[in-house]
Amino acid sequence: MSSLKLKIPSILLLIFFCCLIYKPVSAQNLPQDLSTVHVSDLSDNQIRQLMQQANTAGLSDAQLLQTAQNRGLPSSEAQQLQTRINNIRKKEGYTPDSTNNLRGSDTSRSRRTLNYRVDTDSIARQRKKDDFFSKLLPKVYGADIFKNTNLSFAPNLKLATPVNYIVGPEDQLNINVYGNSLVNWKLDVSPEGNINIPGVGLLNVAGKTIEQATLAIKSRLASSNYSVGRGTTVQVSLGNIRSIKVILIGEVTKPGSYTLPSLATVFNALYAAGGPNYNGSLRQIEIIRNNRIIRRLDVYDFLLKGDQKDNIGLQDQDIIRVPTYRTRVELAGEVKIPALFEVLPGETLQDVIRFAGGFSDQAYTARVKVLQINDQQRKITDVFESDYKNYVPLRGDKYIVEPILERFENRVVIKGSVFRPGEYELEKGLTLSRLIEKAAGLKEDAFTGRGSITRLKPDNSKELISFDVRGIMGKTTADIPLQREDSVHISSIFDLRDKYKVTIKGEIRKAGDFTYADSMKVADLIIKAGGFSEGASAKRIEVSRRVFDSDPSVKNSSVAQVYSVNIDPNLKAGDLNFTLKPFDIVSVYSLPGYETQKTIKVEGEVIYPGYYTIQKKNEKISDVIKRAGGVTASADVEGGSLKRDNSAVLGVDKTKIDTAALKRERADRLMRLQRTFRDSTKTDTTQLRNNYVGINLKRILDKPGSTNDLILENGDVIRVPKQQQIVRVNGEVLYPSAVVYEKSKSFKDYVLNAGGFSPRALRGGAYVVYPNGTVKGTRKFLFFNNHPPVKPGSEIYVPQKPVSKGNTLQDILGLTSGLVSLIILFITVKKL
């Protein structure tokens, strides 16, 4: 553990955070002491990973920092970590969503708990966890080769038997004899190393190669009257192969004894054991046979060159020992494979760079920064390119390859109204006019009165240099030599003013704002707006124009110029009508006398219910009832109702109103009504009949044309119900219900039929909603409530008493003080 802290302190915080999220990981890889962590050593990518992991685990910044401090992270480092997190979040707009991710994290943890079992699936899941950690830690180069599920190094048992394969007990030999003699045997090798050939006898093959065993079998068969070589052929192949026991010790992930196929190699065994652990060497793996080291395996040979010369075949009871690494260094920054590399004696920094695949395209290759460890502290050393092949890596070295500088030594920039804006090379003697020519010249809309150059001063502060664009291009003004990082900007005339537009409203198909163009006529604008709508008038089109000379000292000074324009109804070309100017507003009106059809609906108990078109402006209810054939015999004429849209109530043509504004008005009104009746959850929808107009249909039909006979509006709905037989009682009664109507019953009788008033009932506020939409409330005379009459189909509603706040101590004291003051005043006046 101490070795790990010395070598990679810059990533201890990442490892600590992984400990918070993934507790099942081995404790030997998760340091608990964060006192040596330096947040400045962490890259922005590592900070982003911390933020993403915190988001996944549902941890806030405060929780993360507090836990880190509990583990020994200095408060100054915790503050620096918070600052870097805030900077990244501000720069990239990173917004955590801890609730959802915490839920997902809990789910995944519970899923892992439910599915846990000791089998190959759990091993694969553990390897996936290891892969996850390898993304957060500086990976050990080559360690993941034995954790890759797509690279198992399993021997191919379907290949031809190698001629150097050593036969041993539990192997199976397939002997095929054909020609003058035909026979096929599958013979198992006994523990003593013998095979029993039928009719021939025992033959010892243990310890022989497959080639040697074949010669021995042929020889024995030839001596047993088989004419081998004289018309009879013998083939020997390997059938089922035996298993061997191999022991893996030292710094491996899962040390122990493993049963492998006899064709297995060292890589097969290492893969089965999970490969070397964090402290294990990848370059000095020992293969021990018969108590002596017969080979040392360097995995880097395979990784860098594909060389498997030391990946030898194993034999029973072989031992593979993985020692600890001797020297390991870290190469970070602008290299192709940043990682931890193991270094052998005689290798140099040049070799480490080669292990990493070389420098990246953005690397500063002239110098490598080295963070070294001496007896008590760290130190920084610079190694220059000429010394890469001479520098010998030391224990715990960290090499940092920095990127090239984000600056140009010969760049100038031109922006704005030129044909090819962008970055250009600062040639020797480059001037402003030459740069504009390289940018393909000025656009037609370029503002030639003034341009600007933003220039860096020697202290890197900026100064602005203005120039006359027309003078520079016409060579009437002295040209300006350019310097490194000069940024030239030439504005467009359209950038220096409001965008010109014109507006059209009224009886056209697409009202709105349109881009202004010089010499635009009213007819041109109408065509852009899709033409006239049905019923639009081409005469008396009004154009309003901005004024710039209004006198603020005069009350009736003009605030707009208004023109009346007549144009050709067919919008023919060549019509020399009014020419528009920027920001004009055009209003198109409808033809006088133009009317769209207006319909109403008559439903219920009439002879011909349905939709009817209004024929005259003063057509009334009685006229339409007559057109509908009159009412039926079962009609409840007194309960007839009229439903009218809000726009008609306001006297506005429905086709000419702002429907969006009307919807907002209706929504606001509904909210107010819901607040008014918020305690009336048991009421019928008749309480919200704000669109019903109370009418007396019986009186209208008796006296057509009277003041009660209303003029109809578009969208009206006249409903004539059947004769009703019930009365609904709702609100603050004990049992809201529908009661059969009886002429002899009073208001109170119907309430009693619904159980009577509840304790919270406001009796004086009860009211009746009649079928025709009218409402009558309770009147009060002295101490008595005079309730309205009840008709068939009516609804009685009893509201709730207001909630009493009660008298506080302050209210009681105030009332008492007031009474005492009145008594004193009365006594004083009486004495006078």
Side-chain angles (χ1 to χ4, degrees), residues 818-832:
L819 289 174
V820 171
S821 299
L822 287 175
I823 293 172
I824 294 174
L825 180 62
F826 177 76
I827 294 174
T828 303
V829 172
K830 188 174 181 180
K831 287 182 178 181
L832 294 176

Side-chain angles (χ1 to χ4, degrees), residues 551-761:
D551 188 353
S553 62
V554 180
K555 287 185 178 181
N556 62 346
S557 61
S558 176
V559 294
Q561 293 179 338
V562 179
Y563 305 91
S564 182
V565 180
N566 298 327
I567 67 171
D568 184 90
N570 297 320
L571 304 174
K572 291 182 180 180
D575 184 16
L576 301 177
N577 56 62
F578 190 83
T579 302
L580 297 174
K581 290 187 177 182
F583 308 110
D584 280 356
I585 299 176
V586 178
S587 300
V588 180
Y589 304 106
S590 60
L591 288 168
Y594 174 78
E595 295 286 347
T596 59
Q597 296 95 327
K598 297 179 177 64
T599 60
I600 65 166
K601 185 179 181 182
V602 181
E603 58 186 20
E605 295 301 315
V606 293
I607 302 300
Y608 300 105
Y611 290 93
Y612 290 85
T613 300
I614 299 175
Q615 296 177 339
K616 299 176 294 183
K617 286 188 175 182
N618 63 343
E619 188 161 10
K620 298 187 176 183
I621 296 175
S622 60
D623 299 328
V624 173
I625 296 294
K626 184 178 180 181
R627 289 170 60 188
V631 298
T632 66
S634 60
D636 179 14
V637 180
E638 291 186 354
S641 62
L642 172 64
K643 184 178 179 181
R644 177 164 289 178
D645 203 0
N646 283 343
S647 58
V649 172
L650 297 172
V652 180
D653 188 346
K654 188 176 180 179
T655 62
K656 301 178 181 179
I657 62 175
D658 186 346
T659 56
L662 182 59
K663 288 181 180 178
R664 289 194 298 270
E665 178 189 347
R666 287 179 176 175
D668 293 342
R669 180 175 294 185
L670 180 61
M671 290 179 62
R672 290 196 299 270
L673 288 169
Q674 288 174 340
R675 284 196 297 268
T676 303
F677 299 108
R678 62 183 179 273
D679 299 320
S680 313
T681 56
K682 301 178 183 179
T683 65
D684 191 78
T685 55
T686 52
Q687 296 178 36
L688 302 179
R689 291 181 179 177
N690 58 310
N691 288 345
Y692 281 86
V693 179
I695 62 171
N696 191 329
L697 185 59
K698 186 176 186 306
R699 186 176 299 174
I700 291 173
L701 297 180
D702 290 342
K703 294 183 179 181
S706 63
T707 55
N708 295 315
D709 195 1
L710 300 180
I711 297 175
L712 294 172
E713 299 287 351
N714 186 37
D716 281 355
V717 178
I718 300 173
R719 185 176 184 276
V720 182
K722 287 185 178 180
Q723 293 179 357
Q724 301 292 312
Q725 297 178 330
I726 60 172
V727 174
R728 292 182 177 83
V729 183
N730 285 313
E732 291 300 324
V733 292
L734 296 178
Y735 192 79
S737 58
V739 182
V740 177
Y741 173 77
E742 294 181 18
K743 189 173 182 181
S744 60
K745 286 184 179 180
S746 65
F747 182 97
K748 291 184 178 180
D749 292 333
Y750 289 108
V751 173
L752 289 174
N753 285 148
F757 293 105
S758 73
R760 298 185 301 172

Side-chain angles (χ1 to χ4, degrees), residues 330-332 349 364 366-374 377-385 387-388 390-402:
E330 180 182 356
L331 183 56
L349 176 58
Y364 174 60
R367 181 184 63 188
V368 172
K369 182 186 297 183
V370 184
L371 303 181
Q372 295 178 332
I373 296 175
N374 59 18
Q377 57 188 350
R378 290 181 173 273
K379 69 175 182 178
I380 296 178
T381 302
D382 290 332
V383 180
F384 294 93
E385 189 171 9
D387 295 327
Y388 291 169
N390 300 321
Y391 180 83
V392 177
L394 302 176
R395 173 184 62 88
D397 277 359
K398 180 176 180 179
Y399 308 111
I400 300 175
V401 180
E402 297 179 336

Side-chain angles (χ1 to χ4, degrees), residues 54 67 98 146 184 229 274 278 346 440 473 516 694 721 733 738 742 796:
T67 309
S98 59
F146 299 112
N184 188 16
Y278 184 80
M473 299 307 296
Y516 170 79
V733 292
E742 294 181 18
I796 298 173

